[in-house]
Amino acid sequence: LTPLSALRLLSVCDSESGEGLFERVWRWPEGADPKGIGNLVRSFFLVARQLDHGMISRVVFEAPEDEAALVPHAGIGEAMEMLCTRNERVVVAVFHESRGAFADEDDEEAREVHVAMRQLVEQARELWSPDVSRADFKTTVDRLCARIVGLPPPPPDPRQPSPPPRPKSM
């Protein structure tokens, strides 16, 4: 398990309405619709507000270990984790593969994934601005992922003009 292989989805939602403002999907279970993630995250914050003043930051989803109880998109013992953070404008959540709620504390790989995902979600929260186009924010997220998670940078957008050629030095 590496940060690169674990990354599944990043979602940015309005902190009041739960409206999805931005979503970037890397790997999501086939046939599962990631739409509505904003409402899910917002619901967790509403429940957390009732329980402990809204300070939720991590939720672990684990598939049952009983094959008969499996949901269509999960493997036996598979786990996905949601890390989230918020400010007055947005809630940012990243979903990633996990070793589960009770992963061994000495598991360096699991700790590396957690640290990378926490950096990603916090930096995305700070960089979000309603004044930035979705395309520009997607580029920003891709650059963050390249730096933090090791995700290769996306290929250049063919619609963007190429930089002028550099003069040859003699």
Side-chain angles (χ1 to χ4, degrees):
L1 187 64
T2 66
L4 177 57
S5 68
L7 188 58
R8 292 195 175 189
L9 179 139
L10 179 89
S11 174
V12 179
C13 309
D14 181 89
S15 63
E16 291 300 316
S17 70
E19 175 190 355
L21 303 171
F22 177 82
E23 188 171 84
R24 178 78 161 96
V25 178
W26 288 273
R27 288 185 318 128
W28 200 248
E30 189 175 323
D33 186 3
K35 301 288 185 238
I37 291 294
N39 288 330
L40 172 71
V41 173
R42 185 171 175 268
S43 295
F44 279 119
F45 272 98
L46 290 173
V47 168
R49 189 178 302 155
Q50 298 294 318
L51 301 175
D52 69 358
H53 311 292
M55 300 308 293
I56 190 170
S57 66
R58 178 178 178 236
V59 177
V60 178
F61 305 90
E62 291 182 314
E65 296 199 14
D66 176 10
E67 267 189 75
L70 277 179
V71 291
H73 307 295
I76 295 174
E78 187 176 293
M80 181 168 39
E81 192 168 317
M82 175 187 78
L83 291 176
C84 52
T85 185
R86 74 180 291 166
N87 61 23
E88 62 282 347
R89 299 171 302 163
V90 293
V91 175
V92 179
V94 65
F95 289 79
H96 66 89
E97 198 172 310
S98 165
R99 293 220 168 105
F102 302 106
D104 184 0
E105 290 181 15
D106 295 331
D107 186 338
E108 283 295 321
E109 288 180 346
R111 190 173 19 263
E112 180 185 354
V113 168
H114 182 80
V115 167
M117 297 303 154
R118 177 59 60 199
Q119 286 178 337
L120 177 60
V121 76
E122 289 175 357
Q123 289 182 27
R125 177 197 64 208
E126 295 308 313
L127 292 170
W128 169 259
S129 169
D131 302 328
V132 174
S133 74
R134 288 180 192 241
D136 288 344
F137 189 68
K138 180 179 178 290
T139 300
T140 299
V141 166
D142 287 339
R143 286 185 181 140
L144 278 175
C145 289
R147 186 171 47 80
I148 295 170
V149 181
L151 190 70
D157 187 339
R159 297 170 297 188
Q160 297 293 324
S162 299
R166 292 182 173 196
K168 293 183 181 180
S169 59
M170 294 188 190

mmCIF file of all heavy atoms in Angstrom, residues 44-81:
data_model
loop_
_atom_site.group_PDB
_atom_site.id
_atom_site.type_symbol
_atom_site.label_atom_id
_atom_site.label_comp_id
_atom_site.label_asym_id
_atom_site.label_seq_id
_atom_site.Cartn_x
_atom_site.Cartn_y
_atom_site.Cartn_z
ATOM 1 N N PHE A 44 -21.930 13.676 7.914
ATOM 2 C CA PHE A 44 -21.008 13.318 8.996
ATOM 3 C C PHE A 44 -20.690 14.531 9.868
ATOM 4 O O PHE A 44 -20.621 14.431 11.088
ATOM 5 C CB PHE A 44 -19.718 12.710 8.446
ATOM 6 C CG PHE A 44 -19.840 11.249 8.099
ATOM 7 C CD1 PHE A 44 -19.640 10.823 6.809
ATOM 8 C CD2 PHE A 44 -20.161 10.317 9.070
ATOM 9 C CE1 PHE A 44 -19.743 9.475 6.475
ATOM 10 C CE2 PHE A 44 -20.282 8.972 8.759
ATOM 11 C CZ PHE A 44 -20.069 8.553 7.455
ATOM 12 N N PHE A 45 -20.489 15.697 9.241
ATOM 13 C CA PHE A 45 -20.215 16.900 10.019
ATOM 14 C C PHE A 45 -21.413 17.305 10.867
ATOM 15 O O PHE A 45 -21.260 17.752 11.999
ATOM 16 C CB PHE A 45 -19.770 18.062 9.116
ATOM 17 C CG PHE A 45 -18.292 18.090 8.888
ATOM 18 C CD1 PHE A 45 -17.744 17.552 7.742
ATOM 19 C CD2 PHE A 45 -17.436 18.643 9.828
ATOM 20 C CE1 PHE A 45 -16.374 17.561 7.524
ATOM 21 C CE2 PHE A 45 -16.061 18.656 9.626
ATOM 22 C CZ PHE A 45 -15.537 18.107 8.478
ATOM 23 N N LEU A 46 -22.628 17.141 10.341
ATOM 24 C CA LEU A 46 -23.822 17.470 11.123
ATOM 25 C C LEU A 46 -23.949 16.555 12.341
ATOM 26 O O LEU A 46 -24.247 17.005 13.446
ATOM 27 C CB LEU A 46 -25.076 17.384 10.253
ATOM 28 C CG LEU A 46 -25.216 18.464 9.182
ATOM 29 C CD1 LEU A 46 -26.414 18.173 8.287
ATOM 30 C CD2 LEU A 46 -25.334 19.840 9.806
ATOM 31 N N VAL A 47 -23.708 15.263 12.149
ATOM 32 C CA VAL A 47 -23.749 14.324 13.272
ATOM 33 C C VAL A 47 -22.653 14.675 14.276
ATOM 34 O O VAL A 47 -22.875 14.710 15.488
ATOM 35 C CB VAL A 47 -23.601 12.867 12.776
ATOM 36 C CG1 VAL A 47 -23.359 11.918 13.938
ATOM 37 C CG2 VAL A 47 -24.831 12.452 11.992
ATOM 38 N N ALA A 48 -21.453 14.954 13.771
ATOM 39 C CA ALA A 48 -20.333 15.293 14.651
ATOM 40 C C ALA A 48 -20.631 16.547 15.449
ATOM 41 O O ALA A 48 -20.267 16.642 16.629
ATOM 42 C CB ALA A 48 -19.052 15.469 13.838
ATOM 43 N N ARG A 49 -21.281 17.527 14.824
ATOM 44 C CA ARG A 49 -21.621 18.765 15.526
ATOM 45 C C ARG A 49 -22.518 18.463 16.724
ATOM 46 O O ARG A 49 -22.384 19.048 17.785
ATOM 47 C CB ARG A 49 -22.316 19.739 14.576
ATOM 48 C CG ARG A 49 -22.498 21.114 15.196
ATOM 49 C CD ARG A 49 -23.133 22.104 14.247
ATOM 50 N NE ARG A 49 -22.342 22.249 13.041
ATOM 51 C CZ ARG A 49 -22.836 22.646 11.881
ATOM 52 N NH1 ARG A 49 -24.114 22.923 11.755
ATOM 53 N NH2 ARG A 49 -22.056 22.766 10.844
ATOM 54 N N GLN A 50 -23.435 17.499 16.553
ATOM 55 C CA GLN A 50 -24.315 17.098 17.641
ATOM 56 C C GLN A 50 -23.550 16.380 18.759
ATOM 57 O O GLN A 50 -23.883 16.505 19.923
ATOM 58 C CB GLN A 50 -25.427 16.166 17.122
ATOM 59 C CG GLN A 50 -26.335 16.801 16.101
ATOM 60 C CD GLN A 50 -27.158 17.922 16.687
ATOM 61 O OE1 GLN A 50 -27.667 17.817 17.793
ATOM 62 N NE2 GLN A 50 -27.266 19.017 15.953
ATOM 63 N N LEU A 51 -22.517 15.630 18.365
ATOM 64 C CA LEU A 51 -21.784 14.814 19.333
ATOM 65 C C LEU A 51 -20.611 15.524 19.985
ATOM 66 O O LEU A 51 -20.396 15.397 21.181
ATOM 67 C CB LEU A 51 -21.279 13.530 18.658
ATOM 68 C CG LEU A 51 -22.345 12.630 18.059
ATOM 69 C CD1 LEU A 51 -21.696 11.468 17.332
ATOM 70 C CD2 LEU A 51 -23.281 12.126 19.137
ATOM 71 N N ASP A 52 -19.825 16.221 19.184
ATOM 72 C CA ASP A 52 -18.606 16.817 19.754
ATOM 73 C C ASP A 52 -18.207 18.116 19.061
ATOM 74 O O ASP A 52 -17.052 18.338 18.756
ATOM 75 C CB ASP A 52 -17.451 15.820 19.740
ATOM 76 C CG ASP A 52 -16.947 15.492 18.340
ATOM 77 O OD1 ASP A 52 -17.509 16.009 17.362
ATOM 78 O OD2 ASP A 52 -15.980 14.727 18.229
ATOM 79 N N HIS A 53 -19.152 18.952 18.797
ATOM 80 C CA HIS A 53 -18.900 20.286 18.247
ATOM 81 C C HIS A 53 -18.338 20.274 16.824
ATOM 82 O O HIS A 53 -17.613 21.180 16.435
ATOM 83 C CB HIS A 53 -17.977 21.095 19.162
ATOM 84 C CG HIS A 53 -18.419 21.068 20.585
ATOM 85 N ND1 HIS A 53 -19.566 21.679 21.011
ATOM 86 C CD2 HIS A 53 -17.872 20.480 21.670
ATOM 87 C CE1 HIS A 53 -19.719 21.472 22.315
ATOM 88 N NE2 HIS A 53 -18.694 20.746 22.731
ATOM 89 N N GLY A 54 -18.632 19.228 16.045
ATOM 90 C CA GLY A 54 -18.268 19.213 14.634
ATOM 91 C C GLY A 54 -16.828 18.897 14.322
ATOM 92 O O GLY A 54 -16.339 19.238 13.261
ATOM 93 N N MET A 55 -16.137 18.228 15.201
ATOM 94 C CA MET A 55 -14.712 17.983 14.999
ATOM 95 C C MET A 55 -14.442 16.580 14.445
ATOM 96 O O MET A 55 -13.646 15.834 14.966
ATOM 97 C CB MET A 55 -13.963 18.186 16.322
ATOM 98 C CG MET A 55 -14.097 19.582 16.880
ATOM 99 S SD MET A 55 -13.678 20.891 15.731
ATOM 100 C CE MET A 55 -11.955 20.619 15.532
ATOM 101 N N ILE A 56 -15.104 16.218 13.365
ATOM 102 C CA ILE A 56 -14.855 14.927 12.729
ATOM 103 C C ILE A 56 -13.702 15.076 11.749
ATOM 104 O O ILE A 56 -13.574 16.097 11.094
ATOM 105 C CB ILE A 56 -16.114 14.402 12.018
ATOM 106 C CG1 ILE A 56 -15.915 12.968 11.570
ATOM 107 C CG2 ILE A 56 -16.484 15.271 10.852
ATOM 108 C CD1 ILE A 56 -17.199 12.335 11.091
ATOM 109 N N SER A 57 -12.838 14.078 11.681
ATOM 110 C CA SER A 57 -11.742 14.175 10.723
ATOM 111 C C SER A 57 -11.462 12.865 10.016
ATOM 112 O O SER A 57 -10.764 12.852 9.017
ATOM 113 C CB SER A 57 -10.463 14.650 11.412
ATOM 114 O OG SER A 57 -10.017 13.684 12.320
ATOM 115 N N ARG A 58 -12.041 11.753 10.486
ATOM 116 C CA ARG A 58 -11.706 10.459 9.893
ATOM 117 C C ARG A 58 -12.870 9.498 10.078
ATOM 118 O O ARG A 58 -13.412 9.381 11.171
ATOM 119 C CB ARG A 58 -10.474 9.897 10.581
ATOM 120 C CG ARG A 58 -10.043 8.549 10.103
ATOM 121 C CD ARG A 58 -8.766 8.127 10.845
ATOM 122 N NE ARG A 58 -8.350 6.823 10.444
ATOM 123 C CZ ARG A 58 -8.164 5.813 11.284
ATOM 124 N NH1 ARG A 58 -8.353 5.968 12.573
ATOM 125 N NH2 ARG A 58 -7.779 4.646 10.832
ATOM 126 N N VAL A 59 -13.232 8.829 8.989
ATOM 127 C CA VAL A 59 -14.246 7.779 9.024
ATOM 128 C C VAL A 59 -13.686 6.606 8.226
ATOM 129 O O VAL A 59 -13.143 6.797 7.140
ATOM 130 C CB VAL A 59 -15.581 8.247 8.392
ATOM 131 C CG1 VAL A 59 -16.597 7.121 8.370
ATOM 132 C CG2 VAL A 59 -16.130 9.458 9.130
ATOM 133 N N VAL A 60 -13.802 5.392 8.770
ATOM 134 C CA VAL A 60 -13.315 4.199 8.096
ATOM 135 C C VAL A 60 -14.516 3.348 7.701
ATOM 136 O O VAL A 60 -15.377 3.064 8.522
ATOM 137 C CB VAL A 60 -12.356 3.385 8.997
ATOM 138 C CG1 VAL A 60 -11.899 2.111 8.297
ATOM 139 C CG2 VAL A 60 -11.160 4.235 9.401
ATOM 140 N N PHE A 61 -14.549 2.962 6.429
ATOM 141 C CA PHE A 61 -15.591 2.086 5.902
ATOM 142 C C PHE A 61 -14.935 0.737 5.639
ATOM 143 O O PHE A 61 -13.981 0.658 4.861
ATOM 144 C CB PHE A 61 -16.149 2.635 4.578
ATOM 145 C CG PHE A 61 -16.658 4.042 4.666
ATOM 146 C CD1 PHE A 61 -15.799 5.115 4.427
ATOM 147 C CD2 PHE A 61 -17.980 4.305 4.981
ATOM 148 C CE1 PHE A 61 -16.263 6.417 4.484
ATOM 149 C CE2 PHE A 61 -18.450 5.607 5.049
ATOM 150 C CZ PHE A 61 -17.590 6.666 4.802
ATOM 151 N N GLU A 62 -15.426 -0.310 6.280
ATOM 152 C CA GLU A 62 -14.847 -1.636 6.086
ATOM 153 C C GLU A 62 -15.907 -2.585 5.551
ATOM 154 O O GLU A 62 -17.028 -2.604 6.045
ATOM 155 C CB GLU A 62 -14.293 -2.186 7.397
ATOM 156 C CG GLU A 62 -13.069 -1.442 7.873
ATOM 157 C CD GLU A 62 -12.492 -2.025 9.149
ATOM 158 O OE1 GLU A 62 -13.257 -2.303 10.085
ATOM 159 O OE2 GLU A 62 -11.277 -2.197 9.191
ATOM 160 N N ALA A 63 -15.524 -3.371 4.547
ATOM 161 C CA ALA A 63 -16.415 -4.399 4.028
ATOM 162 C C ALA A 63 -16.454 -5.542 5.038
ATOM 163 O O ALA A 63 -15.450 -5.836 5.690
ATOM 164 C CB ALA A 63 -15.917 -4.898 2.679
ATOM 165 N N PRO A 64 -17.598 -6.187 5.167
ATOM 166 C CA PRO A 64 -17.679 -7.312 6.111
ATOM 167 C C PRO A 64 -16.761 -8.451 5.664
ATOM 168 O O PRO A 64 -16.465 -8.603 4.479
ATOM 169 C CB PRO A 64 -19.145 -7.738 6.042
ATOM 170 C CG PRO A 64 -19.699 -7.110 4.821
ATOM 171 C CD PRO A 64 -18.828 -5.953 4.460
ATOM 172 N N GLU A 65 -16.312 -9.222 6.634
ATOM 173 C CA GLU A 65 -15.432 -10.342 6.301
ATOM 174 C C GLU A 65 -16.219 -11.580 5.921
ATOM 175 O O GLU A 65 -15.659 -12.582 5.528
ATOM 176 C CB GLU A 65 -14.488 -10.615 7.466
ATOM 177 C CG GLU A 65 -13.583 -9.411 7.679
ATOM 178 C CD GLU A 65 -12.345 -9.732 8.464
ATOM 179 O OE1 GLU A 65 -12.026 -10.912 8.637
ATOM 180 O OE2 GLU A 65 -11.687 -8.779 8.888
ATOM 181 N N ASP A 66 -17.549 -11.500 5.995
ATOM 182 C CA ASP A 66 -18.431 -12.594 5.625
ATOM 183 C C ASP A 66 -18.831 -12.416 4.161
ATOM 184 O O ASP A 66 -19.451 -11.427 3.796
ATOM 185 C CB ASP A 66 -19.658 -12.560 6.533
ATOM 186 C CG ASP A 66 -20.698 -13.596 6.164
ATOM 187 O OD1 ASP A 66 -20.418 -14.475 5.331
ATOM 188 O OD2 ASP A 66 -21.810 -13.519 6.717
ATOM 189 N N GLU A 67 -18.478 -13.376 3.304
ATOM 190 C CA GLU A 67 -18.769 -13.258 1.871
ATOM 191 C C GLU A 67 -20.248 -13.071 1.593
ATOM 192 O O GLU A 67 -20.629 -12.365 0.667
ATOM 193 C CB GLU A 67 -18.272 -14.496 1.122
ATOM 194 C CG GLU A 67 -16.882 -14.325 0.589
ATOM 195 C CD GLU A 67 -16.494 -15.458 -0.327
ATOM 196 O OE1 GLU A 67 -16.978 -15.479 -1.471
ATOM 197 O OE2 GLU A 67 -15.705 -16.294 0.113
ATOM 198 N N ALA A 68 -21.125 -13.691 2.377
ATOM 199 C CA ALA A 68 -22.568 -13.600 2.141
ATOM 200 C C ALA A 68 -23.085 -12.186 2.353
ATOM 201 O O ALA A 68 -24.097 -11.795 1.781
ATOM 202 C CB ALA A 68 -23.305 -14.571 3.060
ATOM 203 N N ALA A 69 -22.384 -11.394 3.160
ATOM 204 C CA ALA A 69 -22.847 -10.041 3.482
ATOM 205 C C ALA A 69 -22.200 -8.975 2.603
ATOM 206 O O ALA A 69 -22.442 -7.797 2.789
ATOM 207 C CB ALA A 69 -22.543 -9.736 4.951
ATOM 208 N N LEU A 70 -21.378 -9.386 1.642
ATOM 209 C CA LEU A 70 -20.651 -8.416 0.823
ATOM 210 C C LEU A 70 -21.574 -7.540 -0.008
ATOM 211 O O LEU A 70 -22.543 -8.005 -0.576
ATOM 212 C CB LEU A 70 -19.698 -9.118 -0.145
ATOM 213 C CG LEU A 70 -18.352 -9.519 0.415
ATOM 214 C CD1 LEU A 70 -17.537 -10.214 -0.666
ATOM 215 C CD2 LEU A 70 -17.596 -8.340 0.953
ATOM 216 N N VAL A 71 -21.217 -6.272 -0.065
ATOM 217 C CA VAL A 71 -21.893 -5.362 -0.979
ATOM 218 C C VAL A 71 -21.221 -5.540 -2.347
ATOM 219 O O VAL A 71 -20.081 -5.969 -2.420
ATOM 220 C CB VAL A 71 -21.799 -3.891 -0.491
ATOM 221 C CG1 VAL A 71 -22.625 -3.697 0.753
ATOM 222 C CG2 VAL A 71 -20.384 -3.466 -0.241
ATOM 223 N N PRO A 72 -21.901 -5.208 -3.431
ATOM 224 C CA PRO A 72 -21.364 -5.515 -4.755
ATOM 225 C C PRO A 72 -19.992 -4.937 -5.077
ATOM 226 O O PRO A 72 -19.283 -5.482 -5.892
ATOM 227 C CB PRO A 72 -22.405 -4.912 -5.703
ATOM 228 C CG PRO A 72 -23.628 -4.708 -4.893
ATOM 229 C CD PRO A 72 -23.203 -4.594 -3.473
ATOM 230 N N HIS A 73 -19.590 -3.828 -4.463
ATOM 231 C CA HIS A 73 -18.356 -3.153 -4.869
ATOM 232 C C HIS A 73 -17.176 -3.406 -3.942
ATOM 233 O O HIS A 73 -16.122 -2.846 -4.149
ATOM 234 C CB HIS A 73 -18.595 -1.642 -4.952
ATOM 235 C CG HIS A 73 -19.761 -1.296 -5.810
ATOM 236 N ND1 HIS A 73 -19.788 -1.551 -7.154
ATOM 237 C CD2 HIS A 73 -20.953 -0.742 -5.500
ATOM 238 C CE1 HIS A 73 -20.941 -1.153 -7.652
ATOM 239 N NE2 HIS A 73 -21.659 -0.663 -6.674
ATOM 240 N N ALA A 74 -17.350 -4.203 -2.912
ATOM 241 C CA ALA A 74 -16.281 -4.361 -1.929
ATOM 242 C C ALA A 74 -15.723 -5.783 -1.939
ATOM 243 O O ALA A 74 -16.440 -6.737 -2.171
ATOM 244 C CB ALA A 74 -16.814 -4.034 -0.537
ATOM 245 N N GLY A 75 -14.445 -5.874 -1.664
ATOM 246 C CA GLY A 75 -13.807 -7.169 -1.504
ATOM 247 C C GLY A 75 -13.784 -7.535 -0.028
ATOM 248 O O GLY A 75 -13.991 -6.692 0.842
ATOM 249 N N ILE A 76 -13.524 -8.782 0.259
ATOM 250 C CA ILE A 76 -13.498 -9.242 1.645
ATOM 251 C C ILE A 76 -12.417 -8.507 2.419
ATOM 252 O O ILE A 76 -11.270 -8.440 1.996
ATOM 253 C CB ILE A 76 -13.251 -10.768 1.703
ATOM 254 C CG1 ILE A 76 -14.433 -11.494 1.065
ATOM 255 C CG2 ILE A 76 -13.036 -11.232 3.126
ATOM 256 C CD1 ILE A 76 -14.236 -12.977 0.934
ATOM 257 N N GLY A 77 -12.790 -7.945 3.554
ATOM 258 C CA GLY A 77 -11.850 -7.253 4.415
ATOM 259 C C GLY A 77 -11.317 -5.947 3.857
ATOM 260 O O GLY A 77 -10.441 -5.329 4.437
ATOM 261 N N GLU A 78 -11.832 -5.494 2.712
ATOM 262 C CA GLU A 78 -11.375 -4.250 2.105
ATOM 263 C C GLU A 78 -11.838 -3.058 2.942
ATOM 264 O O GLU A 78 -12.920 -3.082 3.508
ATOM 265 C CB GLU A 78 -11.958 -4.150 0.691
ATOM 266 C CG GLU A 78 -11.425 -2.993 -0.105
ATOM 267 C CD GLU A 78 -11.973 -3.017 -1.531
ATOM 268 O OE1 GLU A 78 -11.623 -3.932 -2.279
ATOM 269 O OE2 GLU A 78 -12.744 -2.105 -1.861
ATOM 270 N N ALA A 79 -11.012 -2.028 3.009
ATOM 271 C CA ALA A 79 -11.380 -0.836 3.774
ATOM 272 C C ALA A 79 -11.062 0.411 2.967
ATOM 273 O O ALA A 79 -10.113 0.449 2.190
ATOM 274 C CB ALA A 79 -10.619 -0.808 5.103
ATOM 275 N N MET A 80 -11.896 1.413 3.165
ATOM 276 C CA MET A 80 -11.666 2.722 2.571
ATOM 277 C C MET A 80 -11.814 3.728 3.709
ATOM 278 O O MET A 80 -12.657 3.569 4.590
ATOM 279 C CB MET A 80 -12.683 3.025 1.464
ATOM 280 C CG MET A 80 -12.428 4.369 0.818
ATOM 281 S SD MET A 80 -13.334 4.703 -0.726
ATOM 282 C CE MET A 80 -14.932 4.031 -0.479
ATOM 283 N N GLU A 81 -10.972 4.733 3.676
ATOM 284 C CA GLU A 81 -10.970 5.739 4.728
ATOM 285 C C GLU A 81 -11.282 7.100 4.128
ATOM 286 O O GLU A 81 -10.873 7.400 3.015
ATOM 287 C CB GLU A 81 -9.589 5.752 5.372
ATOM 288 C CG GLU A 81 -9.501 6.524 6.642
ATOM 289 C CD GLU A 81 -8.190 6.242 7.370
ATOM 290 O OE1 GLU A 81 -7.778 5.059 7.439
ATOM 291 O OE2 GLU A 81 -7.582 7.217 7.838
#
